[in-house]
Amino acid sequence: MSIGALFNSYLYHGNSLKKRFFEGWYFKFVDKRKEKSFAVIPGVSTGSSKNESHSFIQFLSGNRNESGNFTYPFKDFHSDTKRFAVEIVDNYFSTERVSLNMKNEKVKIAGEIKIIHPYLWPVRFYSPGIMGPFSFAPFMECYHGVVSMDHSLEGEVEVSGEVINLYGGKGYIEKDWGRSFPEAWVWMQSNNFDHARTSFMLSIATIPWLGRSFTGCLCAFLCKGELYRFTTYKGARINRVDTSGDRISVDLKQREFTIHVDARKTSGAQLISPVQGTMSGKIDESLTSEIHLKVYEGNTLLFEGTGTNSGLEAVGKLKLKD
């Protein structure tokens, strides 16, 4: 890992060509009418040998409930060492634009997307990303980063003959890197609320730590231009997590703030996920779920609204301490 990547979660962390390592950036797109959504995930996977190493781009369609994976040689992956810019053959990803040009026997995807006014996650030398001081821990199973909480879009993408008009649409970018995803987690995200410049992301996971494990959370809420952070290292307490059926309910408490989440999970499609660096796992993700959110500051209701076109995953069973 370069020194630049250590202090900036946006950048590529695998320059040392580690074994059993993965890294991927998650780009989500929703059209202005909130009728069509899709995500693309460029990344790399290195197994225990060079034969297991490759780069990839995953594609997930929300309205079609379809997914696909495009694989490329590892050498076709290129990244900038000073700013976030990733290239895989004829595909390009940054915080300014995305260029797509990929096809296989089932689907062809091509288009140019411009990213307008991204709300970039603030990077500090003592806190290079949403994980704060945990970003510097050298033995974490998985690291998480948020690149842009919210931005507007311009452009079009053609998916097997269907043109998706993204002018006036909304986008979001995050990333993961490490060895494996956790054994259990809940993740959800939406920036399609009735309120402008509003975005919400929540991740709760079982995290291995020094031979034991704990259930921790990363939560970010952008409201009226102000970014609120609710995380385990800031003292956030998970009071309740219920993932029964198609409803997911979460209650968080951090100092004077209380968050109530009631999400409805809709059907989705399968993505592949990392297991010890190799993309051999499978997860189901929806892009058409809903998140009803209430945020209190003391006894004052700071925000209430419903985010549509929400990304949502629920894997395994989370355990909270009594």
Side-chain angles (χ1 to χ4, degrees):
M1 183 197 315
S2 69
I3 293 296
L6 180 64
F7 291 97
N8 189 332
S9 64
Y10 305 177
L11 301 181
Y12 176 49
H13 288 68
N15 283 320
S16 59
L17 295 177
K18 303 173 184 177
K19 293 182 179 180
R20 299 185 177 91
F21 174 83
F22 82 94
E23 188 157 3
W25 292 262
Y26 176 95
F27 287 73
K28 182 184 166 200
F29 307 91
V30 180
D31 75 326
K32 184 178 181 179
R33 295 185 176 182
K34 303 179 183 180
E35 295 175 349
K36 297 177 182 179
S37 59
F38 67 95
V40 289
I41 309 169
V44 293
S45 167
T46 63
S48 57
S49 67
K50 288 186 177 180
N51 294 334
E52 295 179 285
S53 300
H54 66 280
S55 57
F56 62 85
I57 303 174
Q58 293 196 70
F59 178 83
L60 174 65
S61 171
N63 50 302
R64 292 185 175 199
N65 286 345
E66 295 176 350
S67 61
N69 182 46
F70 302 81
T71 59
Y72 306 88
F74 187 89
K75 65 180 178 61
D76 288 341
F77 174 87
H78 302 280
S79 66
D80 195 298
T81 59
K82 295 183 179 179
R83 66 185 185 93
F84 170 47
V86 164
E87 188 174 359
I88 302 177
V89 190
D90 296 325
N91 302 274
Y92 179 84
F93 305 88
S94 74
T95 53
E96 293 85 33
R97 66 180 180 89
V98 172
S99 179
L100 300 175
N101 189 4
M102 47 190 173
K103 64 179 179 179
N104 57 24
E105 65 278 4
K106 294 182 179 180
V107 63
K108 177 181 179 181
I109 302 169
E112 297 286 337
I113 307 165
K114 188 175 180 181
I115 293 173
I116 310 296
H117 303 309
Y119 190 101
L120 301 178
W121 189 270
V123 174
R124 305 288 185 266
F125 75 91
Y126 55 86
S127 181
I130 191 172
M131 291 186 66
F134 281 98
S135 302
F136 300 110
F139 44 77
M140 300 288 287
E141 182 180 54
C142 184
Y143 298 84
H144 189 78
V146 174
V147 180
S148 173
M149 282 290 290
D150 180 68
H151 48 261
S152 299
L153 304 170
E154 291 181 358
E156 293 180 343
V157 173
E158 184 175 342
V159 182
S160 295
E162 178 189 15
V163 176
I164 301 176
N165 185 336
L166 292 173
Y167 286 90
K170 287 283 190 180
Y172 169 82
I173 311 170
E174 66 172 44
K175 66 172 298 190
D176 293 282
W177 71 98
R179 295 188 306 276
S180 303
F181 277 177
E183 66 179 48
W185 76 88
V186 168
W187 170 87
M188 62 182 73
Q189 183 279 328
S190 180
N191 54 333
N192 281 270
F193 292 86
D194 290 335
H195 309 73
R197 205 59 158 175
T198 301
S199 181
F200 177 76
M201 187 282 295
L202 170 66
S203 175
I204 299 176
T206 300
I207 301 166
W209 185 258
L210 300 176
R212 304 180 70 179
S213 66
F214 68 93
T215 299
C217 72
L218 297 171
C219 179
F221 177 50
L222 177 64
C223 180
K224 297 179 181 179
E226 184 170 357
L227 181 62
Y228 299 84
R229 311 171 214 198
F230 308 96
T231 64
T232 298
Y233 63 86
K234 279 182 166 288
R237 186 173 70 249
I238 307 165
N239 288 334
R240 183 171 69 103
V241 177
D242 185 353
T243 59
S244 58
D246 64 348
R247 312 296 300 199
I248 296 177
S249 299
V250 178
D251 290 341
L252 296 179
K253 176 75 174 177
Q254 181 175 293
R255 295 191 296 275
E256 70 273 24
F257 292 97
T258 306
I259 296 177
H260 300 288
V261 177
D262 180 21
R264 181 179 67 87
K265 189 178 189 301
T266 59
S267 59
Q270 278 194 340
L271 294 172
I272 55 174
S273 62
V275 178
Q276 291 298 311
T278 63
M279 304 301 287
S280 55
K282 293 182 180 180
I283 58 175
D284 185 81
E285 180 178 325
S286 164
L287 284 180
T288 57
S289 296
E290 291 185 349
I291 301 171
H292 186 73
L293 175 66
K294 289 183 179 180
V295 181
Y296 288 88
E297 186 174 7
N299 294 322
T300 302
L301 181 62
L302 183 68
F303 176 86
E304 181 175 8
T306 300
T308 62
N309 298 94
S310 303
L312 199 153
E313 299 169 359
V315 178
K317 186 170 181 59
L318 292 164
K319 296 180 181 179
L320 301 181
K321 290 184 178 180
D322 296 332

